[in-house]
mmCIF file of all heavy atoms in Angstrom:
data_model
loop_
_atom_site.group_PDB
_atom_site.id
_atom_site.type_symbol
_atom_site.label_atom_id
_atom_site.label_comp_id
_atom_site.label_asym_id
_atom_site.label_seq_id
_atom_site.Cartn_x
_atom_site.Cartn_y
_atom_site.Cartn_z
ATOM 1 N N ASN A 14 -7.865 16.859 0.392
ATOM 2 C CA ASN A 14 -9.276 17.074 0.283
ATOM 3 C C ASN A 14 -10.029 15.745 0.199
ATOM 4 O O ASN A 14 -11.253 15.735 0.142
ATOM 5 C CB ASN A 14 -9.587 17.931 -0.971
ATOM 6 C CG ASN A 14 -9.039 19.349 -0.806
ATOM 7 O OD1 ASN A 14 -9.009 19.869 0.314
ATOM 8 N ND2 ASN A 14 -8.505 19.890 -1.906
ATOM 9 N N SER A 15 -9.333 14.633 0.080
ATOM 10 C CA SER A 15 -9.984 13.333 0.019
ATOM 11 C C SER A 15 -10.314 12.850 1.454
ATOM 12 O O SER A 15 -9.884 13.463 2.430
ATOM 13 C CB SER A 15 -9.208 12.321 -0.747
ATOM 14 O OG SER A 15 -7.964 12.174 -0.070
ATOM 15 N N THR A 16 -11.105 11.772 1.554
ATOM 16 C CA THR A 16 -11.428 11.250 2.856
ATOM 17 C C THR A 16 -10.214 10.624 3.501
ATOM 18 O O THR A 16 -9.245 10.231 2.755
ATOM 19 C CB THR A 16 -12.539 10.157 2.739
ATOM 20 O OG1 THR A 16 -11.986 9.043 2.042
ATOM 21 C CG2 THR A 16 -13.755 10.663 2.051
ATOM 22 N N LEU A 17 -10.200 10.417 4.821
ATOM 23 C CA LEU A 17 -9.138 9.805 5.465
ATOM 24 C C LEU A 17 -8.924 8.398 4.968
ATOM 25 O O LEU A 17 -7.807 7.904 4.740
ATOM 26 C CB LEU A 17 -9.356 9.777 7.024
ATOM 27 C CG LEU A 17 -8.302 9.076 7.831
ATOM 28 C CD1 LEU A 17 -6.878 9.824 7.657
ATOM 29 C CD2 LEU A 17 -8.651 9.049 9.292
ATOM 30 N N TYR A 18 -10.041 7.683 4.694
ATOM 31 C CA TYR A 18 -9.948 6.366 4.132
ATOM 32 C C TYR A 18 -9.165 6.327 2.803
ATOM 33 O O TYR A 18 -8.309 5.497 2.623
ATOM 34 C CB TYR A 18 -11.385 5.792 3.912
ATOM 35 C CG TYR A 18 -11.389 4.401 3.331
ATOM 36 C CD1 TYR A 18 -11.242 3.273 4.220
ATOM 37 C CD2 TYR A 18 -11.475 4.219 1.966
ATOM 38 C CE1 TYR A 18 -11.281 1.988 3.664
ATOM 39 C CE2 TYR A 18 -11.529 2.902 1.480
ATOM 40 C CZ TYR A 18 -11.373 1.805 2.266
ATOM 41 O OH TYR A 18 -11.329 0.557 1.716
ATOM 42 N N ASP A 19 -9.522 7.276 1.938
ATOM 43 C CA ASP A 19 -8.781 7.325 0.617
ATOM 44 C C ASP A 19 -7.346 7.722 0.828
ATOM 45 O O ASP A 19 -6.455 7.269 0.113
ATOM 46 C CB ASP A 19 -9.479 8.312 -0.306
ATOM 47 C CG ASP A 19 -10.780 7.777 -0.855
ATOM 48 O OD1 ASP A 19 -11.009 6.521 -0.836
ATOM 49 O OD2 ASP A 19 -11.630 8.547 -1.263
ATOM 50 N N GLN A 20 -7.080 8.578 1.796
ATOM 51 C CA GLN A 20 -5.681 8.936 2.132
ATOM 52 C C GLN A 20 -4.867 7.717 2.625
ATOM 53 O O GLN A 20 -3.698 7.488 2.243
ATOM 54 C CB GLN A 20 -5.570 10.065 3.179
ATOM 55 C CG GLN A 20 -6.153 11.352 2.640
ATOM 56 C CD GLN A 20 -6.252 12.474 3.686
ATOM 57 O OE1 GLN A 20 -5.990 12.192 4.888
ATOM 58 N NE2 GLN A 20 -6.634 13.644 3.221
ATOM 59 N N ILE A 21 -5.510 6.910 3.479
ATOM 60 C CA ILE A 21 -4.911 5.655 3.939
ATOM 61 C C ILE A 21 -4.595 4.714 2.763
ATOM 62 O O ILE A 21 -3.520 4.194 2.673
ATOM 63 C CB ILE A 21 -5.778 4.934 4.969
ATOM 64 C CG1 ILE A 21 -5.901 5.815 6.249
ATOM 65 C CG2 ILE A 21 -5.243 3.555 5.313
ATOM 66 C CD1 ILE A 21 -7.115 5.351 7.187
ATOM 67 N N CYS A 22 -5.583 4.585 1.899
ATOM 68 C CA CYS A 22 -5.351 3.724 0.648
ATOM 69 C C CYS A 22 -4.222 4.272 -0.169
ATOM 70 O O CYS A 22 -3.437 3.464 -0.656
ATOM 71 C CB CYS A 22 -6.674 3.705 -0.172
ATOM 72 S SG CYS A 22 -7.930 2.747 0.657
ATOM 73 N N PHE A 23 -4.095 5.550 -0.277
ATOM 74 C CA PHE A 23 -3.001 6.175 -0.989
ATOM 75 C C PHE A 23 -1.666 5.799 -0.386
ATOM 76 O O PHE A 23 -0.722 5.356 -1.095
ATOM 77 C CB PHE A 23 -3.123 7.700 -1.073
ATOM 78 C CG PHE A 23 -2.079 8.317 -1.895
ATOM 79 C CD1 PHE A 23 -2.249 8.537 -3.252
ATOM 80 C CD2 PHE A 23 -0.917 8.850 -1.313
ATOM 81 C CE1 PHE A 23 -1.317 9.188 -4.055
ATOM 82 C CE2 PHE A 23 0.065 9.525 -2.070
ATOM 83 C CZ PHE A 23 -0.149 9.612 -3.441
ATOM 84 N N CYS A 24 -1.612 5.788 0.885
ATOM 85 C CA CYS A 24 -0.346 5.496 1.575
ATOM 86 C C CYS A 24 -0.068 3.934 1.538
ATOM 87 O O CYS A 24 1.064 3.511 1.473
ATOM 88 C CB CYS A 24 -0.374 5.933 3.068
ATOM 89 S SG CYS A 24 -0.292 7.711 3.210
ATOM 90 N N LEU A 25 -1.186 3.173 1.457
ATOM 91 C CA LEU A 25 -1.026 1.735 1.306
ATOM 92 C C LEU A 25 -0.353 1.366 -0.041
ATOM 93 O O LEU A 25 0.347 0.402 -0.185
ATOM 94 C CB LEU A 25 -2.342 1.014 1.372
ATOM 95 C CG LEU A 25 -2.838 0.599 2.738
ATOM 96 C CD1 LEU A 25 -4.209 -0.022 2.683
ATOM 97 C CD2 LEU A 25 -1.938 -0.371 3.372
ATOM 98 N N SER A 26 -0.572 2.248 -1.056
ATOM 99 C CA SER A 26 0.128 2.047 -2.334
ATOM 100 C C SER A 26 1.617 2.089 -2.115
ATOM 101 O O SER A 26 2.412 1.346 -2.731
ATOM 102 C CB SER A 26 -0.357 3.002 -3.322
ATOM 103 O OG SER A 26 -1.690 2.849 -3.656
ATOM 104 N N ALA A 27 2.080 2.924 -1.209
ATOM 105 C CA ALA A 27 3.547 2.994 -0.855
ATOM 106 C C ALA A 27 3.939 1.660 -0.192
ATOM 107 O O ALA A 27 5.011 1.165 -0.426
ATOM 108 C CB ALA A 27 3.803 4.203 -0.005
ATOM 109 N N GLY A 28 3.054 1.208 0.682
ATOM 110 C CA GLY A 28 3.358 -0.081 1.394
ATOM 111 C C GLY A 28 3.530 -1.222 0.391
ATOM 112 O O GLY A 28 4.408 -2.018 0.517
ATOM 113 N N ILE A 29 2.636 -1.241 -0.594
ATOM 114 C CA ILE A 29 2.674 -2.286 -1.577
ATOM 115 C C ILE A 29 4.049 -2.317 -2.402
ATOM 116 O O ILE A 29 4.455 -3.360 -2.888
ATOM 117 C CB ILE A 29 1.465 -2.177 -2.513
ATOM 118 C CG1 ILE A 29 0.183 -2.546 -1.715
ATOM 119 C CG2 ILE A 29 1.584 -3.091 -3.754
ATOM 120 C CD1 ILE A 29 -1.142 -2.172 -2.460
ATOM 121 N N LEU A 30 4.634 -1.210 -2.482
ATOM 122 C CA LEU A 30 5.950 -1.109 -3.169
ATOM 123 C C LEU A 30 7.124 -1.655 -2.395
ATOM 124 O O LEU A 30 8.170 -1.696 -2.904
ATOM 125 C CB LEU A 30 6.194 0.344 -3.586
ATOM 126 C CG LEU A 30 5.260 0.941 -4.658
ATOM 127 C CD1 LEU A 30 5.520 2.359 -4.840
ATOM 128 C CD2 LEU A 30 5.433 0.213 -5.959
ATOM 129 N N ALA A 31 6.882 -2.077 -1.190
ATOM 130 C CA ALA A 31 7.962 -2.603 -0.372
ATOM 131 C C ALA A 31 8.608 -3.884 -1.013
ATOM 132 O O ALA A 31 7.898 -4.653 -1.637
ATOM 133 C CB ALA A 31 7.446 -2.930 1.003
ATOM 134 N N PRO A 32 9.890 -4.043 -0.838
ATOM 135 C CA PRO A 32 10.489 -5.274 -1.295
ATOM 136 C C PRO A 32 9.978 -6.491 -0.489
ATOM 137 O O PRO A 32 9.652 -6.334 0.684
ATOM 138 C CB PRO A 32 12.016 -5.055 -1.055
ATOM 139 C CG PRO A 32 12.022 -3.999 -0.006
ATOM 140 C CD PRO A 32 10.847 -3.183 -0.111
ATOM 141 N N SER A 33 9.915 -7.620 -1.138
ATOM 142 C CA SER A 33 9.520 -8.852 -0.432
ATOM 143 C C SER A 33 10.256 -10.031 -0.989
ATOM 144 O O SER A 33 10.761 -9.977 -2.139
ATOM 145 C CB SER A 33 8.002 -9.057 -0.595
ATOM 146 O OG SER A 33 7.605 -9.225 -1.959
ATOM 147 N N THR A 34 10.356 -11.059 -0.196
ATOM 148 C CA THR A 34 11.042 -12.223 -0.647
ATOM 149 C C THR A 34 10.507 -12.778 -1.936
ATOM 150 O O THR A 34 9.320 -12.996 -2.045
ATOM 151 C CB THR A 34 10.964 -13.369 0.454
ATOM 152 O OG1 THR A 34 11.393 -12.833 1.685
ATOM 153 C CG2 THR A 34 11.707 -14.609 0.110
ATOM 154 N N HIS A 35 11.430 -12.888 -2.901
ATOM 155 C CA HIS A 35 11.066 -13.419 -4.250
ATOM 156 C C HIS A 35 9.900 -12.613 -4.795
ATOM 157 O O HIS A 35 9.150 -13.143 -5.559
ATOM 158 C CB HIS A 35 10.764 -14.911 -4.221
ATOM 159 C CG HIS A 35 12.025 -15.678 -3.856
ATOM 160 N ND1 HIS A 35 13.062 -15.887 -4.813
ATOM 161 C CD2 HIS A 35 12.383 -16.326 -2.748
ATOM 162 C CE1 HIS A 35 13.962 -16.654 -4.212
ATOM 163 N NE2 HIS A 35 13.635 -16.891 -2.970
ATOM 164 N N ASN A 36 9.718 -11.402 -4.394
ATOM 165 C CA ASN A 36 8.663 -10.516 -4.873
ATOM 166 C C ASN A 36 7.232 -11.157 -4.679
ATOM 167 O O ASN A 36 6.371 -10.951 -5.518
ATOM 168 C CB ASN A 36 8.882 -10.016 -6.279
ATOM 169 C CG ASN A 36 8.210 -8.752 -6.612
ATOM 170 O OD1 ASN A 36 7.996 -7.892 -5.715
ATOM 171 N ND2 ASN A 36 7.851 -8.525 -7.835
ATOM 172 N N CYS A 37 7.108 -11.928 -3.628
ATOM 173 C CA CYS A 37 5.819 -12.613 -3.457
ATOM 174 C C CYS A 37 4.708 -11.754 -2.780
ATOM 175 O O CYS A 37 3.565 -12.173 -2.798
ATOM 176 C CB CYS A 37 6.002 -13.955 -2.632
ATOM 177 S SG CYS A 37 6.520 -13.582 -0.942
ATOM 178 N N GLN A 38 5.083 -10.624 -2.236
ATOM 179 C CA GLN A 38 4.133 -9.737 -1.577
ATOM 180 C C GLN A 38 3.102 -10.476 -0.730
ATOM 181 O O GLN A 38 1.983 -10.526 -0.976
ATOM 182 C CB GLN A 38 3.405 -8.884 -2.637
ATOM 183 C CG GLN A 38 4.388 -8.060 -3.480
ATOM 184 C CD GLN A 38 3.734 -7.256 -4.517
ATOM 185 O OE1 GLN A 38 2.724 -7.626 -5.097
ATOM 186 N NE2 GLN A 38 4.351 -6.048 -4.876
ATOM 187 N N PRO A 39 3.652 -11.072 0.417
ATOM 188 C CA PRO A 39 2.850 -11.921 1.250
ATOM 189 C C PRO A 39 1.854 -11.264 2.216
ATOM 190 O O PRO A 39 1.406 -11.916 3.162
ATOM 191 C CB PRO A 39 3.923 -12.698 2.011
ATOM 192 C CG PRO A 39 4.983 -11.677 2.242
ATOM 193 C CD PRO A 39 5.038 -10.943 0.916
ATOM 194 N N TRP A 40 1.466 -10.013 1.982
ATOM 195 C CA TRP A 40 0.647 -9.299 2.878
ATOM 196 C C TRP A 40 -0.760 -9.225 2.365
ATOM 197 O O TRP A 40 -1.067 -9.278 1.235
ATOM 198 C CB TRP A 40 1.250 -7.918 3.114
ATOM 199 C CG TRP A 40 1.627 -7.218 1.851
ATOM 200 C CD1 TRP A 40 0.814 -6.741 0.863
ATOM 201 C CD2 TRP A 40 2.969 -7.015 1.406
ATOM 202 N NE1 TRP A 40 1.587 -6.177 -0.154
ATOM 203 C CE2 TRP A 40 2.911 -6.349 0.130
ATOM 204 C CE3 TRP A 40 4.233 -7.277 1.962
ATOM 205 C CZ2 TRP A 40 4.050 -5.922 -0.539
ATOM 206 C CZ3 TRP A 40 5.365 -6.912 1.217
ATOM 207 C CH2 TRP A 40 5.269 -6.262 -0.010
#
């Protein structure tokens, strides 16, 4: 029921949980 933009942001939270070198999250 949320906007597509908010749905994308929700999925981005999953992206942020990705492993990264030395946990630096370079994105």
